[in-house]
Amino acid sequence: MLRGTFANSFTVVKFIFRRERIVTTAWILALVLFTMGVAPAMANMFPDMASRSQFAASFNNPIMIAMMGPIYGADNYTAGAMYGGMMLLWYAMAVAIMNIFFVVRHTRADEQAGRVEVVRSLPTGRLANLNATMISALIINVVLGLLTGLGLAVLGIEDMGFAGSMAYGAATAAIGLVFASIAALFSQITSNASGATGLSFVSIGVFYMIRAAGDMQGNEIISCISPLGLVLRTQAYVQNNIWPSLVLFATAIVISAVAYKLNSIRDLGQGFVAARPGRATASPLLKSSFGLTWRLLRNMLIIWAVVMFILGASYATVIGDISSFIGDSPEYMEVIGVPVDQLAALSEADQAKLIVDSFGTFVTLMMTIVAIVPLINAIMKLRSEERDGRAENVLTRAVRRCRYMSGFVILAYVFSVIIQFLTASGLYVVATSVAGDANPFTYTGLLQAFFAFLPALWVMIGFTVLVVGLLPKATTIVWAYFGVVAFTSFMGRLVMPDWMLNITPLHFVSQPQPMQDFVIDYTPLIIMTGIAAVLTAIGIISYSKRDMITS
């Protein structure tokens, strides 16, 4: 009976890897190359024990612990201890995102598209599809963990030996499996892919907050309730604990077992939480193609608007203390762009202002990078509607393709303005409540700084439209380019030659300079706006002329 339930699971595994040969390979390569690229850069930035100890001391406060996790090995703060403490949490969340997309894509999304029904019609067991997905996730995470550990080990960085690197890699694989199992569970509970993906992402946020609360209080029990807190207890390159990975692996088995059980007792195509029934008649807005587009993107855009406002607010909470715990770390000041050579000639008050201004410029750039994600997703939704065959239902009516695509494009462009406005507002409002009259930012200045990035955001939108319209089967190019943009913006100026920075539109945007009036150079902004318009036009024209591609 049990064997029949899982019959031909490994045959389905072959199908899954055939489909994933590009997407998952790109994910793994991007993650491994990124983590290997950051390690030597960080080691070069903090070459000696004195600089690393200063960095540890500046980060050993409740606010930074809530954001980054506790500092381990501070008494002997090696390059490995710094790397493990600074990178493992964020790397774990990136791996979690990869696993959520992978599992939902091959469970709930395939079920929603009718592909699981086709698999079930063949001589396969009832649980073969879910079982094959989890086996594939296991293989992918083991490969990722091994490549990550071996990649870090072969760099030959002092204090980043084989044992610590493999502990780092094992923790990576274990946390990936936990979130793969969580995504599998939500795929049984919800009745659509967006719901499963959304709840899985919410779980990342919830676990992050639980970990932050436990770490701030120094409460190990609370911290270890969260998988993200547990993975940090690996203490890679310090203690190299293996037990957190074993506990995470056991957790993944338990959650997966629940998902298997739910999958075995529910009807195909149904979820345990039924979809909310819609209205009996469509609203006037929904009767237009633009109204349909708004309905498809509404929830995602609203959620991201709230997230960006909160993100801006969260950075504002540290404004009052930022000069004190950054001022003691010349290396960290270099990261955020503080002109350290100017500090000696300034008074103490001007030094604090210089640090705060540089931090504000750095935060503006970082939050703008995050804002690119929903804008890309808004255009990518058009591609998913086409791939799932729903776009054809719209285009068989009296709706021109250019008009249909323009709805997604217009919403992306409009939302780029809204998201920058809300992020700036969140930063200003909370900074005012925290610092009062001492708030170093003006509302007008923040709006100028954030809006200056709009042409760069428009270039990213235009590039996405171009790829969707011209190369619909190669949309992974968009995310690959986004990864390059994010890396070059964050670490590029420290580890890459200047000429390579020109590949990102963010590099050409004028940014506020510390202790100076903000002067915007409009020439590159006008040029980027023109480039965005050309890319968008080519993408829309290409979409209107090509065939619909549902694969």
Side-chain angles (χ1 to χ4, degrees):
M1 176 66 179
L2 187 62
R3 182 178 299 176
T5 303
F6 298 103
N8 283 316
S9 292
F10 285 98
T11 301
V12 181
V13 169
K14 294 179 182 178
F15 293 151
I16 289 175
F17 278 115
R18 177 68 176 80
R19 291 172 58 192
E20 289 293 323
R21 67 190 186 281
I22 296 177
V23 175
T24 298
T25 300
W27 265 103
I28 292 175
L29 288 176
L31 289 170
V32 172
L33 292 176
F34 176 78
T35 198
M36 290 179 64
V38 172
M42 188 173 292
N44 291 333
M45 287 172 56
F46 302 91
D48 51 50
M49 185 64 69
S51 61
R52 292 192 294 268
S53 297
Q54 287 182 349
F55 183 88
S58 66
F59 264 61
N60 195 18
N61 63 82
I63 294 174
M64 298 311 297
I65 288 174
M67 293 176 61
M68 308 295 297
I71 300 290
Y72 291 115
D75 294 338
N76 182 29
Y77 207 47
T78 64
M82 169 177 279
Y83 182 82
M86 293 294 295
M87 292 300 299
L88 183 54
L89 175 63
W90 302 102
Y91 193 63
M93 289 194 289
V95 172
I97 292 171
M98 179 193 74
N99 278 274
I100 289 170
F101 281 136
F102 172 80
V103 172
V104 173
R105 183 162 59 245
H106 291 284
T107 53
R108 176 51 66 180
D110 274 0
E111 196 168 331
Q112 191 175 337
R115 285 187 281 268
V116 173
E117 187 174 3
V118 174
V119 172
R120 288 270 192 97
S121 68
L122 301 170
T124 58
R126 181 180 181 88
L127 295 177
N129 188 74
L130 176 59
N131 192 44
T133 301
M134 298 310 294
I135 291 172
S136 302
L138 174 63
I139 295 171
I140 289 169
N141 282 284
V142 169
V143 170
L144 175 62
L146 286 173
L147 290 178
T148 298
L150 294 174
L152 290 172
V154 300
L155 292 175
I157 298 174
E158 186 179 1
D159 302 314
M160 292 182 68
F162 181 79
S165 297
M166 296 312 295
Y168 189 101
T172 295
I175 196 70
L177 287 172
V178 168
F179 282 96
S181 63
I182 289 173
L185 177 62
F186 283 129
S187 293
Q188 313 311 313
I189 294 174
T190 62
S191 57
N192 55 70
S194 60
T197 304
L199 289 175
S200 299
F201 278 116
V202 168
S203 72
I204 295 179
V206 171
F207 286 135
Y208 182 89
M209 297 305 295
I210 292 174
R211 178 213 58 80
D215 288 345
M216 287 180 67
Q217 300 172 25
N219 190 319
E220 288 291 303
I221 295 177
I222 294 177
S223 295
C224 290
I225 290 174
S226 165
L228 295 176
L230 195 59
V231 75
L232 291 177
R233 271 60 193 174
T234 302
Q235 297 188 37
Y237 303 110
V238 180
Q239 294 292 334
N240 298 330
N241 298 320
I242 196 63
W243 66 264
S245 297
L246 296 176
V247 173
L248 289 169
F249 184 70
T251 301
I253 292 176
V254 173
I255 299 174
S256 296
V258 176
Y260 277 57
K261 179 61 178 179
L262 295 179
N263 186 257
S264 68
I265 61 177
R266 69 174 178 83
D267 292 332
L268 184 65
Q270 301 299 311
F272 283 90
V273 177
R276 183 173 60 87
R279 296 172 45 165
T281 58
S283 66
L285 180 63
L286 198 55
K287 294 178 181 178
S288 66
S289 61
F290 183 82
L292 174 62
T293 302
W294 163 247
R295 180 64 185 84
L296 292 172
L297 298 177
R298 181 186 64 189
N299 292 343
M300 182 198 75
L301 296 182
I302 291 175
I303 290 172
W304 270 101
V306 174
V307 166
M308 294 305 295
F309 183 89
I310 294 174
L311 183 61
S314 66
Y315 274 109
T317 59
V318 304
I319 289 300
D321 299 321
I322 197 70
S323 60
S324 61
F325 63 74
I326 287 181
D328 295 331
S329 176
E331 293 78 15
Y332 189 71
M333 286 193 286
E334 183 180 358
V335 171
I336 68 171
V338 177
V340 180
D341 56 333
Q342 299 180 17
L343 289 176
L346 300 176
S347 64
E348 184 175 342
D350 285 341
Q351 287 182 7
K353 186 178 187 315
L354 180 64
I355 293 172
V356 171
D357 286 350
S358 299
F359 179 75
T361 300
F362 177 77
V363 167
T364 303
L365 176 61
M366 291 302 100
M367 288 191 285
T368 297
I369 293 173
V370 177
I372 295 173
V373 175
L375 304 179
I376 293 177
N377 278 332
I379 305 300
M380 287 295 194
K381 182 64 175 176
L382 172 69
R383 173 60 186 142
S384 67
E385 290 294 296
E386 177 186 357
R387 184 172 53 246
D388 294 338
R390 292 187 290 269
E392 291 181 1
N393 296 329
V394 177
L395 296 174
T396 55
R397 314 287 293 183
V399 177
R400 296 176 61 190
R401 289 193 188 186
C402 60
R403 179 182 176 187
Y404 179 60
M405 189 182 201
S406 295
F408 293 88
V409 173
I410 290 171
L411 283 176
Y413 274 99
V414 171
F415 189 66
S416 67
V417 179
I418 294 174
I419 202 169
Q420 293 295 83
F421 171 78
L422 289 175
T423 308
S425 299
L427 183 59
Y428 177 78
V429 169
V430 176
T432 300
S433 65
V434 170
D437 294 336
N439 182 3
F441 304 128
T442 65
Y443 194 39
T444 303
L446 283 175
L447 289 177
Q448 284 182 329
F450 276 94
F451 284 167
F453 281 102
L454 284 176
L457 294 180
W458 295 341
V459 169
M460 295 300 297
I461 293 173
F463 178 70
T464 307
V465 173
L466 176 69
V467 173
V468 170
L470 196 60
L471 302 168
K473 288 189 175 182
T475 51
T476 51
I477 294 174
V478 176
W479 291 113
Y481 181 57
F482 169 71
V484 172
V485 169
F487 179 75
T488 54
S489 299
F490 182 58
M491 297 291 292
R493 60 190 176 84
L494 299 176
V495 299
M496 297 173 65
D498 291 340
W499 65 267
M500 292 189 67
L501 300 180
N502 295 331
I503 63 178
T504 167
L506 301 177
H507 178 64
F508 297 98
V509 178
S510 302
Q511 298 184 46
Q513 298 300 312
M515 311 295 292
Q516 300 178 18
D517 293 334
F518 183 27
V519 178
I520 300 176
D521 183 1
Y522 288 98
T523 301
L525 304 187
I526 294 172
I527 294 174
M528 283 193 290
T529 301
I531 293 173
V534 171
L535 293 176
T536 301
I538 295 174
I540 292 175
I541 293 171
S542 300
Y543 180 79
S544 66
K545 292 184 177 181
R546 69 170 172 80
D547 294 334
M548 290 286 100
I549 299 175
T550 56
S551 61

